[in-house]
Amino acid sequence: MTDLKEVIEPLLAARQQLRETFTTLHRRVLFIVRNDMTC
């Protein structure tokens, strides 16, 4: 089971980082869209 843990934990950490980055970028896009008459 230890081998599986060594594989899964880095994948979960990478997934968490991707979600955090996505959330930040999504908020930035929403801010831009709300303040742009063309959008």
Side-chain angles (χ1 to χ4, degrees), residues 2-26:
T2 302
D3 293 336
L4 184 58
K5 183 178 178 181
E6 291 176 7
V7 172
I8 296 299
E9 283 186 341
L11 291 173
L12 290 173
R15 179 181 180 266
Q16 179 64 31
Q17 182 62 48
L18 285 170
R19 290 181 60 86
E20 290 173 7
T21 302
F22 172 82
T23 298
T24 299
L25 294 173
H26 182 69

